Amino acid sequence: MDLPVLSVTQLNTYIKSLLDGDPRLGDLFIRGEISNFKRHSSGHLYLTLKDESARVPAVMFRFNAMRLRFAPQDGMRVIARGRVSVYDRDGKYQVYIEEMHPDGVGDLSVAYEQLKERLAAEGLFDRAHKRPLPRYPGRVGVITSPTGAAVHDIITVLARRFPAAELVLCPVQVQGDGAADSICAALELFNQKQAADVIILGRGGGSIEDLWAFNEEPVARAVYRSEIPVISAVGHETDYTICDFVADVRAATPSAAAELAVPDARELAAQLAALHNRMLGRAAAVTAEKKAQLAALRAYPCFQSPMHFLEDEHQRLDGYAAALRAGMDRRLSDGRTALARQAAALDLLSPMKVLARGYSIAQDKRGKILTRVKQVTPGNPILLRMADGTLDCTVVGTDPSKEDEKIGNDI
């Protein structure tokens, strides 16, 4: 029997037709662990599904991968839906995945945890970035569905607590396709127009699918970029979204968000009344204190009879003036006496007094006083100063005394 000779292409094509023709392999579910995961620049995903005993290659093309709500990773257990076929060129069979979900955990839950972990690592949840809410907002922005119960709860609470605040409503789609884009556009519009002092972003309760728009990354980043403080009020008290972690304040419900956004006007009125009463009481106390001080001042004698006070002061001033004059007179008299005494003592030391008693002073022609005989020789001219004038003399001779010679010899 002659067997046909097949080319490699014919063989691969035949095997591919067999697999493609098997309805059981055309639409199946397969459970396994991801390994060798690679995201190609084209957007296609290449991976291997394995269990304890075997492995099979798999591919998920970009148009299917775009619908994934989580990011596949090595080691993640998944359930994939697709078909089995042969890649003609390599002659190997592989699974062509059309849908994929985490095994045992919903893909939304996985996507939520993955995004939460990544944004936390980037610092979007840091407390340092949180802005304080304004104490007395003039305008409160509300981003929510215009037909839901949340907007009615917010309007009711704002009107009751702080009717002075203006409510600025920006209606958006809060679930389904396009909801995230609608929310981001509203946040950007509020910031661009500076249309509010604080923003309430939220909606009523629902399933994780209903709330998913508030778990999407574009919404989280739009809240982070907002220059206006944002209060997140999504779902019920037990519901937590990514938006809650990024926002400046998280409220359990939309009604609670409205209470956080504005003060209670009744409490403010009570505080103002208390401050008014304190002010009146303090003013009355200060007035009474000043009146008592004024009464005490008016009781002083100087205010009772000011002329008497002035007369007494005039008399006291006259006494001070008389004492001052007497003191000055004593100082002058004492000064004159002291001056006379010193003048008399000085007069006693005057050379003129000595000359008047018969003494004279000998000087040479230059006016130098001569105190020794040896300072002149016969023939030298000298001057003799007397009490009543001067004699112009010439030395005829000298006669040193014995005492002077002795002093000269000693020298």
Side-chain angles (χ1 to χ4, degrees), residues 57-87:
V59 61
M60 189 174 194
F61 294 118
R62 182 174 63 87
F63 53 87
N64 289 320
M66 291 174 59
R67 297 199 299 268
L68 288 175
R69 294 184 180 272
F70 69 100
Q73 299 174 355
D74 284 337
M76 183 179 292
R77 297 188 59 83
V78 296
I79 296 177
R81 180 180 181 180
R83 59 187 177 85
V84 177
S85 186
V86 171
Y87 181 34

Side-chain angles (χ1 to χ4, degrees), residues 206-230:
S207 64
I208 188 172
E209 290 80 9
D210 295 335
L211 306 181
W212 190 251
F214 299 90
N215 288 320
E216 296 200 27
E217 184 173 352
V219 173
R221 296 195 179 277
V223 171
Y224 184 79
R225 290 193 303 268
S226 176
E227 297 178 359
I228 303 172
V230 176

Side-chain angles (χ1 to χ4, degrees), residues 25 46 65-66 78 93 114 117 126 132 141 184 245 248 318 393 396 399:
L25 300 179
Y46 296 93
M66 291 174 59
V78 296
Y93 87 96
Q114 288 177 337
E117 181 178 351
D126 290 352
C184 291
F245 296 109
D248 299 291
D318 291 341
C393 304
V396 176
D399 184 14

Side-chain angles (χ1 to χ4, degrees), residues 120 122-132 224 245-248:
E122 291 184 27
L124 268 68
F125 304 162
D126 290 352
R127 185 171 297 276
H129 182 72
K130 308 295 184 184
R131 289 147 298 189
Y224 184 79
F245 296 109
V246 182
D248 299 291

Side-chain angles (χ1 to χ4, degrees), residues 329-347:
D329 291 341
R330 284 194 301 272
R331 291 291 299 274
L332 288 173
S333 177
D334 293 344
R336 290 191 185 98
T337 302
L339 179 60
R341 186 183 305 113
Q342 291 174 358
L346 185 61
D347 186 59

